[in-house]
Amino acid sequence: MTEADGTEGGKPKSDEAHSAFSAPPGMEPEVVEEDQPTSEFAVPEGMAPLPADEPEGSAFAAPATYSAQHSPPAYVPPAGGFPIARMAESPWQDRMRTMLRMPVDVRPLAEPVQRPSESGPAVGRVLDLTLRIGELLLAGGEGAEDVEAAMFAVARSYGLDRCEPTVTFTMLSITHQPSLVDDPVSANRTVRRRGTDYTRLAAVFRLVDDISAHEVEITLEEAYRRLAEIRRNRHPYPTWVLTAAAGLLAGAAAILVGGGVTVFFCAALGAVLGDRLAWYCAGRGLPEFYQFVVAAMPPAAIGVALKIAEIDVRASAVITGGLFALLPGRALVAAVQDGLTGYYITASARLLEVMYLFIGIIIGVLVVIYVGLQFGAQPNPDEVLQIPSRPVLQILASMVLVFTFAILLQQERSTVWIVTLNGGVAWVTFGALRAAELPPVPSTAIAAGLVGLFGQLFSRYRFASALPYVTAAIGPLLPGSATYYGLLSIAENRLDAGLASLTNAAAIALAIAIGVNLGSETSRLFMRIPGAQSAAKRRAAKRTRGF
């Protein structure tokens, strides 16, 4: 018999050659086309298949009863939750803030403004350029939120959409993840030197604006060249102009608190001497704390000398004018702004810096007052709080104070006149509220709110930073008189009155900072901010409470 007959060499096959699962002789085995495991999402047997004209659904697809009109309002699709055309109509600061507050996976994927090469964007160079721009902004005193927005704008413009910038007081970092399966690329930079130069700050903002603009083509080489020019540019005002501005500021502040012509020149002389001593200490590498200690001594010494000589002038106004030139209003506003916008680490570091500088001023003035008391100086504490009402002269003095403050901040000449007008409006508002017997703290907050409102509107009109339009304008509102009264009371061993006055000065300073920030936020009511309509109701909550 043959093998087809089931025999081999005339012998039947062994039973071991048969499988327990093989079909018995005489039965036709089932024909299985392909043995494949079934999915838990497959349609079970017996269930009617989907109609031919209806595509098979996904586990993540909406159910049949779902209506697009009742979709969740907070959902933003990855391809763009709001029209890109609407975003292009707004300043880059607002566009970038809107996207930074959104998760990475739901940000709109717009076409890059600056076209990368065929091999893709140079990730390392783009991240380095981004960090260098952020360093200049942070060193110039810009708030952490605006620094992050600028960094994100630069990275996004050169094709790096999936970026996350992070800013603290001395450290900047940025991470780029090309996709969910690729390794992220991170870079960081440390800010070691800080300097106040609002002209340089404005130039960096113009560079970021050009990089973010759709109609401007800037290569990486061109951006690096412009950034190098910004770093090399000299300050707009020479040193002697800055020293003269410090003297005029102190003299105008002395007039503001009731001084006369003699007091004006004495306060100006004290501020000039303090400024020169501070420059000398800076040249010797002393920390900024000791520079403030030294700078506070000459105005206080001149004021004490006038009391010892029994010259019939308002000596307290000389010391108060010197304090106006030293109080760190710029750092205080930036600190409170970072705290109110959710950057608590940076805000804490800035407030600690303000505290150290303020303590340096206190030490310098207290040492001089204590020595003057030992030599028989008899200051009149009530004289500090009895400021005569001279509306026209005080308005002019406040505008001179703002004008010189803007020069000390190295502002562009085109912005000096605008901020001077803004400061004059703030002082007129403060004076009117005080004449209506409103307490000092709310009066200061309202006046500072107007400063923030107008400053933010000016900055959006010119696509620039708001700091040059705000910082100098708050100069007349700084609590110089309350600070000096507190220091004088402590020197005379009246600790309760002294601490109460210093607490009042701190409250006024915080009112200035909060008012400026509130005015800036109020300005957004008058501007067209891009973003999904669904997120508009909770934008502030997302930024502050993390929801």
Side-chain angles (χ1 to χ4, degrees):
M1 297 179 64
T2 63
E3 291 181 4
D5 297 328
T7 62
E8 183 179 0
K11 297 180 181 180
K13 285 186 176 180
S14 172
D15 291 340
E16 296 179 357
H18 297 279
S19 170
F21 299 97
S22 61
M27 291 188 63
E28 296 182 0
E30 288 189 26
V31 180
V32 180
E33 295 180 357
E34 189 176 359
D35 189 13
Q36 292 183 348
T38 59
S39 169
E40 60 180 344
F41 298 104
V43 180
E45 292 185 11
M47 184 175 180
L50 293 173
D53 58 346
E54 183 176 346
E56 183 177 357
S58 166
F60 301 98
T65 58
Y66 183 85
S67 173
Q69 298 177 353
H70 302 89
S71 61
Y75 175 70
V76 181
F82 44 90
I84 303 301
R86 279 191 58 192
M87 293 183 60
E89 299 173 1
S90 300
W92 64 264
Q93 299 100 311
D94 298 323
R95 301 200 311 266
M96 297 305 115
R97 282 198 194 98
T98 301
M99 283 188 283
L100 277 174
R101 296 168 196 165
M102 301 168 62
V104 177
D105 56 337
V106 298
R107 289 173 183 166
L109 302 177
E111 282 291 324
V113 176
Q114 311 298 340
R115 300 294 186 269
S117 61
E118 295 180 357
S119 59
V123 176
R125 296 193 68 196
V126 172
L127 296 183
D128 178 70
L129 176 67
T130 301
L131 289 173
R132 289 177 184 271
I133 289 177
E135 177 191 13
L136 284 181
L137 292 176
L138 188 63
E142 192 62 69
E145 186 180 29
D146 290 324
V147 175
E148 282 195 1
M151 294 172 64
F152 186 71
V154 174
R156 185 178 176 84
S157 297
Y158 285 108
L160 305 186
D161 289 326
R162 303 177 65 88
C163 280
E164 285 295 341
T166 304
V167 174
T168 58
F169 185 58
T170 57
M171 176 71 71
L172 301 108
S173 63
I174 186 169
T175 301
H176 169 63
Q177 188 169 11
S179 67
L180 294 176
V181 296
D182 292 328
D183 294 332
V185 180
S186 298
N188 57 67
R189 196 172 184 88
T190 302
V191 179
R192 302 189 184 278
R193 296 185 61 185
R194 299 178 182 274
T196 304
D197 189 342
Y198 282 179
T199 299
R200 176 179 294 176
L201 191 69
V204 176
F205 261 76
R206 282 194 294 269
L207 174 59
V208 177
D209 184 48
D210 290 342
I211 292 175
S212 307
H214 291 272
E215 63 274 6
V216 181
E217 184 78 17
I218 298 181
T219 62
L220 273 174
E221 289 73 17
E222 177 68 15
Y224 267 107
R225 185 188 64 79
R226 288 182 56 178
L227 188 63
E229 290 179 355
I230 293 172
R231 298 180 70 97
R232 287 196 303 265
N233 282 347
R234 298 177 62 86
H235 299 306
Y237 307 105
T239 303
W240 68 269
V241 173
L242 299 180
T243 301
L248 286 175
L249 191 155
I255 296 295
L256 197 66
V257 295
V261 177
T262 304
V263 170
F264 174 88
F265 286 105
C266 290
L269 177 62
V272 168
L273 292 176
D275 181 76
R276 288 291 87 199
L277 286 176
W279 276 99
Y280 178 81
C281 294
R284 294 297 181 270
L286 287 179
E288 197 172 15
F289 173 83
Y290 299 105
Q291 297 176 29
F292 272 75
V293 173
V294 172
M297 287 183 173
I302 293 177
V304 170
L306 291 175
K307 276 297 181 183
I308 294 177
E310 297 182 356
I311 300 176
D312 189 17
V313 294
R314 198 179 181 89
S316 61
V318 176
I319 303 177
T320 304
L323 291 177
F324 268 92
L326 294 175
L327 291 177
R330 173 183 60 85
L332 178 65
V333 171
V336 174
Q337 178 184 355
D338 286 342
L340 294 177
T341 52
Y343 295 85
Y344 300 115
I345 296 177
T346 306
S348 301
R350 290 186 189 271
L351 284 175
L352 188 62
E353 179 190 32
V354 171
M355 184 187 72
Y356 272 109
L357 299 181
F358 194 70
I359 291 176
I361 297 172
I362 291 175
I363 291 175
V365 175
L366 274 181
V367 168
V368 174
I369 292 178
Y370 182 77
V371 172
L373 291 176
Q374 306 308 311
F375 281 91
Q378 297 180 353
N380 182 12
D382 296 333
E383 180 186 65
V384 183
L385 302 178
Q386 296 173 355
I387 301 176
S389 178
R390 300 176 296 179
V392 177
L393 187 59
Q394 287 177 328
I395 291 174
L396 293 177
S398 67
M399 297 182 72
V400 172
L401 190 155
V402 175
F403 180 83
T404 52
F405 198 179
I407 293 177
L408 286 176
L409 294 174
Q410 306 275 5
Q411 291 191 200
E412 294 179 304
R413 292 174 175 84
S414 60
T415 64
V416 170
W417 303 105
I418 298 175
V419 71
T420 300
L421 179 62
N422 197 12
V425 171
W427 178 256
V428 170
T429 304
F430 174 78
L433 293 175
R434 292 294 293 131
E437 298 184 355
L438 193 68
V441 174
S443 300
T444 304
I446 294 173
L450 288 178
V451 169
L453 173 62
F454 293 140
Q456 195 66 232
L457 292 177
F458 280 131
S459 69
R460 288 301 183 267
Y461 175 73
R462 303 187 60 157
F463 292 86
S465 170
L467 289 181
Y469 303 96
V470 169
T471 306
I474 65 173
L477 304 177
L478 293 174
S481 298
T483 302
Y484 173 60
Y485 182 79
L487 297 180
L488 181 59
S489 300
I490 292 175
E492 294 179 340
N493 203 24
R494 296 186 293 119
L495 297 181
D496 293 341
L499 293 178
S501 184
L502 289 180
T503 302
N504 184 40
I508 293 175
L510 288 177
I512 293 173
I514 294 174
V516 168
N517 182 265
L518 182 60
S520 299
E521 295 295 330
T522 304
S523 68
R524 301 179 190 277
L525 299 175
F526 305 96
M527 296 184 296
R528 187 177 183 182
I529 305 299
Q533 293 294 332
S534 57
K537 297 180 181 179
R538 304 189 66 184
R539 187 178 297 119
K542 285 183 179 179
R543 200 171 61 186
T544 55
R545 301 207 303 265
F547 294 161

